[in-house]
Amino acid sequence: MLNQAERDFLIGLLERGEEIPEDFKYKLFPVTHKEYELAYAGKMRKEDLLANEDGSFPVPVQVDKVFSSSAQRDDEPDDWNNMIFLGDNLQFLKTVYADTDPVIAGKIKGKVRLIYIDPPFATADEFQNRYGAKAYQDKKKGAEFVEFLRRRLFLAREILAPDGSIYIHLDNKMVHYVKVIADEVFGKNNFRREIIWNLPGAAGYKSLVNSYVRGHDTILYYTRSDEYIFHKEYLPYNEKQLKRFTGTDEQGRSFKPITKDKVIYLDESKGVPVTDVWSDIASFQTVVNSPEIVDYPTQKPEALLKRIIRCSTDPGDLVLDFFGGSGTTAATAEKLGRKWVVCDIGKLSYFTIQRRILQIGASKSLENPKKKYGREPKDFMICRLGTYDLKSALELEWKKYQIFVAELFGISLFDLQIGGYAFEGEKDGCPVKIFHFNRWTDSNIDQAYLEDMHARLAKRMPGGRVYIVVPSTRVDFLTDYEEIDNIRYYFLKIPYQIIRELHQKPFQKFRQPQSRNAINSLDEAVGFSFVRTPSVDSSVTVSDTEVILEITRFSSNERAVERAPEEKSLSGFDLLSAVYLDCDYNGQDFVLTHHFFLEDLQNTDGVMRISLDRAVCGKRMMAVYTDIYGNDFSESFLL
């Protein structure tokens, strides 16, 4: 209940057109609290999240490439491609929830039978990989991490199928907090099990820890409703259990007495039902020679995902992982005949998953680890969202271009006439003109263009604003808007130039890491951006034993105005994130073979050097240089 002083304060804000503080939203629109829930700073109502009040919006999907197998598989529909997304997973989930983008509309939302996620465990600890090197250090901690995950879980629930399930993989540091928010999101009655994944051999691996040695991870298992798929799994009997089958009938069949009148026959028994303590699946912390290892920190074994996927899906079902990481979920789902979609914000993950799927035929079989899987990958495509290739966007067919920019800028598309002037839709209740730059090849948005438009509008909409979507090269004004007789004409330029007053939060590109320590840092993107290709000077020297790549100059072309304050003074190699290599490039598909973060490069007198064994290189090599903003420059070399 508001007191009089609060009422007067709110009335004053409304009269001045100022924003209502977050605290007052909960007083004006109170929520019904659960039996128990976490309270912390920055906690957002579900209704506000789904209304994009957090400043994160759905963004269009841009398809980079479709990989097609030599023959369409009989077990996959013709209109489906598995999907790898590069982008912020909150934007990804909001795009799926909106379900309007033509690439994914009607294909994912409400059809996801299983979600598995392995989010970075938000702690101040630096995790170590199997070599003892630091793997990563999370940037979000405490309440910030809890809310980071809670918002994604709300959206994850909304896109699950009615009979879908979700498995949330955590360690002991945050599991108790996440359990409380997951109860809030999915309902505590939909909590099915706390699965303890015992890590065999962990005691020896961490024997120097001055406490009880960490020996397990925790996986929280929830469903969306009381109706869900579950197939019970069984383990083979061990020797001790087999000895309990002491009886033999007239046909020589072994059996175990259960009650006076009932027995279990060994040849009819499926084995021992799997409990919620899993001790039979090894972790890569201790298994260091597995051919499955793809050199990605926090990689999980396919055996773990095999159990989860088989228990909670049927063949042909859709599996989603929006912390894609090393691609274990995608690879395992593929081998089990499920459809899959994965998303990750990191370039290393993006390239690693792509390679893992392209080379899946040479990986081990799930049914017989001594054999190869031996099958081509099903059709899949790689997509980006939030960061776009400008040339591809401008070359879209006109209707698709309109849909693309409408999703970028939050425009509702429909035919609109004001004073005989045609508009393509509205943004925030104001008319939007999408300039047809292909039709009007000799025209720009100039003073004459605005005056002609204004002559039609002046008497019909005194005051207000008009939005004009236009390529930046086709507008003559350097400013972000022009004002004529109290009507502001805003230029939504492609590529975008920030107009801060139009957004709740400033646009922010997610940052790519410069070391293995930060591979799984929980970074986020706000808004969208276009690729600005870096500039690189490099050369390759080849001998009988060695291939040396030298980088003599690196320059990011990211606009200084869009950089974070601490990055405005950075230049040169300080803006380089990593170099990704395909040392046996076939001229068509980039398949990652080596990666070097900035900290891995040899710096000699200002020249960055990478040395490779000649034996691991083919006739051609492709290099992808990535700056900290995710922009790429690619080139290939004959060796």
Side-chain angles (χ1 to χ4, degrees), residues 254-321:
S254 299
F255 64 83
K256 176 174 66 174
I258 299 298
T259 64
K260 181 179 179 181
D261 301 317
K262 186 175 181 180
V263 298
I264 292 179
Y265 282 96
L266 179 60
D267 59 3
E268 293 180 350
S269 177
K270 296 180 180 179
V272 181
V274 172
T275 71
D276 57 9
V277 178
W278 298 354
S279 303
D280 59 314
I281 300 173
S283 163
F284 291 141
Q285 288 180 322
T286 54
V287 180
V288 298
N289 295 318
S290 170
E292 187 182 319
I293 292 174
V294 296
D295 193 24
Y296 191 96
T298 72
Q299 180 185 351
K300 300 301 183 290
E302 291 183 6
L304 182 70
L305 271 297
K306 175 185 175 183
R307 175 165 298 164
I308 291 171
I309 292 172
R310 285 178 50 148
C311 284
S312 292
T313 67
D314 291 322
D317 283 346
L318 177 57
V319 178
L320 168 65
D321 183 347

Side-chain angles (χ1 to χ4, degrees), residues 203-487:
Y205 178 70
K206 295 280 189 174
S207 60
L208 298 180
V209 175
N210 188 26
S211 180
Y212 298 109
V213 177
R214 171 179 167 259
H216 76 276
D217 281 352
T218 302
I219 304 173
L220 300 178
Y221 165 37
Y222 285 82
T223 60
R224 179 165 181 173
S225 67
D226 289 334
E227 300 292 329
Y228 58 94
I229 289 177
F230 187 80
H231 306 296
K232 194 182 291 284
E233 290 253 312
Y234 298 84
L235 297 176
Y237 291 115
N238 59 34
E239 290 186 12
K240 182 178 179 180
Q241 292 163 337
L242 285 172
K243 289 179 180 178
R244 295 174 183 167
F245 289 83
T246 56
T248 305
D249 69 3
E250 296 174 353
Q251 288 78 37
R253 298 171 66 201
S254 299
F255 64 83
K256 176 174 66 174
I258 299 298
T259 64
K260 181 179 179 181
D261 301 317
K262 186 175 181 180
V263 298
I264 292 179
Y265 282 96
L266 179 60
D267 59 3
E268 293 180 350
S269 177
K270 296 180 180 179
V272 181
V274 172
T275 71
D276 57 9
V277 178
W278 298 354
S279 303
D280 59 314
I281 300 173
S283 163
F284 291 141
Q285 288 180 322
T286 54
V287 180
V288 298
N289 295 318
S290 170
E292 187 182 319
I293 292 174
V294 296
D295 193 24
Y296 191 96
T298 72
Q299 180 185 351
K300 300 301 183 290
E302 291 183 6
L304 182 70
L305 271 297
K306 175 185 175 183
R307 175 165 298 164
I308 291 171
I309 292 172
R310 285 178 50 148
C311 284
S312 292
T313 67
D314 291 322
D317 283 346
L318 177 57
V319 178
L320 168 65
D321 183 347
F322 51 87
F323 288 96
S326 65
T328 298
T329 300
T332 310
E334 174 94 2
K335 293 178 181 180
L336 292 174
R338 274 68 169 175
K339 297 181 292 185
W340 53 264
V341 175
V342 294
C343 176
D344 203 282
I345 202 169
K347 279 289 176 72
L348 179 59
S349 171
Y350 181 67
F351 288 135
T352 299
I353 299 173
Q354 180 179 324
R355 175 190 68 195
R356 195 165 178 180
I357 299 302
L358 285 171
Q359 298 180 343
I360 197 169
S363 67
K364 67 181 180 64
S365 164
L366 285 177
E367 306 307 323
N368 186 348
K370 294 182 179 180
K371 293 184 177 181
K372 303 291 186 183
Y373 174 60
R375 303 185 72 181
E376 288 187 15
K378 300 174 185 176
D379 294 354
F380 74 99
M381 59 186 182
I382 54 176
C383 311
R384 66 176 73 214
L385 49 100
T387 304
Y388 305 101
D389 177 70
L390 177 61
K391 184 174 183 291
S392 297
L394 294 178
E395 289 178 349
L396 287 170
E397 183 269 329
W398 182 245
K399 285 292 184 183
K400 292 182 178 179
Y401 172 80
Q402 288 180 298
I403 294 171
F404 179 81
V405 297
E407 289 187 290
L408 283 182
F409 297 114
I411 298 166
S412 299
L413 288 175
F414 60 92
D415 292 334
L416 176 66
Q417 292 275 338
I418 302 178
Y421 202 94
F423 293 90
E424 283 68 46
E426 286 185 348
K427 174 180 169 62
D428 303 328
C430 302
V432 174
K433 182 65 186 176
I434 302 177
F435 181 68
H436 203 321
F437 57 91
N438 285 330
R439 177 180 295 172
W440 308 111
T441 55
D442 296 326
S443 300
N444 278 7
I445 304 298
D446 56 15
Q447 190 65 39
Y449 184 98
L450 289 189
E451 289 177 355
D452 178 65
M453 181 185 290
H454 186 73
R456 316 275 190 97
L457 304 182
K459 294 181 180 180
R460 290 169 175 80
M461 51 176 298
R465 57 179 57 173
V466 175
Y467 297 104
I468 304 172
V469 181
V470 57
S472 59
T473 56
R474 301 293 297 278
V475 59
D476 288 354
F477 301 99
L478 297 178
T479 56
D480 291 325
Y481 67 87
E482 286 290 306
E483 187 167 342
I484 306 175
D485 297 333
N486 295 321
I487 297 180

